[in-house]
Each structure stands twice: as structure tokens, then as C-alpha cells.
Amino acid sequence: MHPLDEAIALRASALGDTRHQFMGATHPAYANMVGPFGGTTAAQLLQSVMLHPERLGEPVALTVNFAAPVADGEIRFVARPVRTNRSTQHWIIDAHQAQNDTEGVVATATAVFAVRRETWSDVEAVMPANVPVPEAVPRMPVKGMPAWPQRYDMRFVEGAFPAVFDEQEQAHSRSILWVRDEPERALDFVSLAAISDSFFPRIYIRRRRRALIGTVSMTTYFHADSALLAQVGTRHVLGVAKALNYRHGYFDQTGELWSPEAQLLASTHQLVYFKD
């Protein structure tokens, strides 16, 4: 089984209403410097709805708020549909964890699912031009890094993670890279949710300086349906990320994920805390 599938292998909880509750756990393959990779937590929150017997359609939006540090160990997920319309469904999801002998909420999420239909379509965003194919770009070295970057094949065209934190401030924080799961895994909604968080913090790219950071809130919009994701399969997707503003201990970062055929698969936005 792929490490991501192991990480999202939720089971029904024996506590309370079993329709809405699932048990999962952090996975060592996605460990970060402290706690788990946030993208895996987002994927688990989304998976709790994907597994729910009352789910309608496919995800179009997911917002995750990280309320407290997630510790290694078991996590209880509670996913409840709060409104189901003819073609849309709204969800509230909580992640609970026992820490210091007390269970509390460590993350909350809202999700919107929908039954997609064929309509007029267009893309105003523009995929970067003249990007070399993935095979022409070396994979980022991951030796000595936390476990989670080792679960991704990242090939930077621009704005790579600093090999040395020399504190030479850059003019911008833009990154362009090819990325896919490592080992290879066919793209689906849960892996797309995780990959949406795989962009390194923009302040590292901009300032080339170590800083204590933590994602506060992350939203992903899923522009692709399952058929388009199936077309991508196990191939790389092109990621583009940048920050818009740094101020008063917080910065944002925005990202795009493109198929090799220049179809916009997802856009993502984060608010990140940093300590200067």
C-alpha cells in the first residue's frame, strides 16, 4: 500500500454516532520537524467526507484551520453534513486528539461538495510558458530533510528550497516546480489536497533564513473533476507558488497546480504565522 493510502486509511469510530466519526493516525512517512505534514492532515479531513455514506458529489472547496499543534498518534475525525441541496453539500469537519490527558480540537475544516455538470468553461490563469519537461529537471535532493519531502518528487525550475540559508534576501518568493507523489501514485482528490500544501513556506524562499512558522489556515479549490485527475494519472503536475504580503508575523501564499496539458487542477491559499 502507498504511504499516503496508509495515512488516510480511516476506520469507523466506536464512539458516539459511527456515521459521522472516523479514527485515523499520523504516519511516520509524513513526519515534519514537529508533528505531521499539514497536507496529510488536510487529506485525512477530506477523506473523512469521501468515506461518509451521506456524501454527495465531489469536492470543490476545502478550508482547514489548524487550531493547535497535531501530535504523533491517533486522531478522531468528526464529519457532519450541515446542508444538502440538489447539487451541493456543505460539511463541517473536526479533528480531535487526546493531549495531556484531555481531548481537544486540533483542526477544523469546512468542505463543499457538488455534483458537477457540463457548462461553458474557460481559464483566465496562465500556466508558465517554456517550462522544461520533468525529465529534463533534476529532482531536489532530500537527504537530511524531514520525512514528508521525501514522499514527493520535486523538480524545481525556479525558486528552489535554499541549499544554504545564507540570509541573502531575494526579490520575490516565486517557485515553479514539477511535483508528484513518491513513490508514484495516481492523482485523486485526497492526494491533490496534500500536494496543495507541499509548497515550502514562502518566507524561506524570500529571505533564505530559518524562521519558526506554522500554517494557520489553508483553502484549496478543486477545479478538476475525477475524470481529469484520472487523465493525469501518476505523472508530475506543475506547481506555481508565491506570497503576496508579509506583515505583523503573518504571510500568505498562493499556489496553482497544473496538469501537463495546461489544465488548472487546483488553486490554494494559505495564511502562515512566522516568528521573526
Side-chain angles (χ1 to χ4, degrees), residues 9 19 28-29 35 56-57 64 72 106 112 160 166 168 175 186-187 248 254 276:
R19 291 178 305 156
L56 173 73
V64 178
D72 292 330
V106 293
V112 180
D166 56 14
Q168 299 298 309
S175 290
L187 191 66
H248 299 155
T254 180
D276 201 358

Side-chain angles (χ1 to χ4, degrees), residues 11-204:
R11 63 188 187 278
S13 171
L15 301 173
D17 191 338
T18 57
R19 291 178 305 156
H20 303 307
Q21 301 198 52
F22 301 87
M23 294 300 300
T26 58
H27 195 290
Y30 292 93
N32 205 346
M33 292 180 289
V34 178
F37 167 50
T40 315
T41 304
Q44 291 172 322
L45 288 158
L46 183 64
Q47 180 73 345
S48 69
V49 180
M50 298 295 292
L51 295 174
H52 201 288
E54 298 177 27
R55 171 173 67 90
L56 173 73
E58 298 178 341
V60 294
L62 173 69
T63 295
V64 178
N65 298 310
F66 296 92
V70 179
D72 292 330
E74 284 202 329
I75 310 172
R76 181 169 63 93
F77 298 93
V78 182
R80 296 182 183 276
V82 294
R83 176 77 185 222
T84 299
N85 301 315
R86 186 172 63 178
S87 60
T88 60
Q89 190 175 51
H90 299 259
W91 292 81
I92 293 178
I93 318 155
D94 298 328
H96 300 253
Q97 196 171 48
Q99 298 179 4
N100 300 322
D101 298 324
T102 303
E103 186 180 86
V105 173
V106 293
T108 65
T110 58
V112 180
F113 278 60
V115 176
R116 298 175 186 267
R117 58 190 178 89
E118 289 299 322
T119 63
W120 173 85
S121 301
D122 195 20
V123 181
E124 291 194 14
V126 178
M127 179 176 172
N130 303 317
V131 175
V133 297
E135 294 74 17
V137 183
R139 182 184 174 187
M140 181 190 75
V142 293
K143 184 178 180 179
M145 300 190 77
W148 80 261
Q150 301 178 44
R151 298 283 66 80
Y152 292 100
D153 181 337
M154 300 183 184
R155 299 168 183 256
F156 282 89
V157 177
E158 179 183 349
F161 186 80
V164 178
F165 284 90
D166 56 14
E167 302 194 10
Q168 299 298 309
E169 188 166 320
Q170 307 298 297
H172 60 77
S173 64
R174 183 175 62 250
S175 290
I176 300 174
L177 72 152
W178 291 105
V179 58
R180 72 177 176 193
D181 286 293
E182 177 61 38
E184 295 180 14
R185 182 186 183 279
L187 191 66
D188 58 17
F189 289 111
V190 289
S191 61
L192 187 58
I195 290 175
S196 293
D197 191 38
S198 67
F199 299 110
F200 291 109
R202 296 298 89 196
I203 197 166
Y204 289 175

Side-chain angles (χ1 to χ4, degrees), residues 220-266:
T220 299
Y221 298 117
F222 301 95
H223 305 298
D225 59 9
S226 55
L228 180 53
L229 297 184
Q231 292 176 19
V232 176
T234 61
R235 295 180 295 162
H236 290 82
V237 297
L238 188 73
V240 182
K242 65 179 181 180
L244 301 179
N245 189 73
Y246 310 82
R247 181 172 293 130
H248 299 155
Y250 294 90
F251 67 90
D252 69 328
Q253 62 184 46
T254 180
E256 302 163 2
L257 292 166
W258 297 84
S259 77
E261 292 77 30
Q263 294 284 340
L264 185 60
L265 304 174

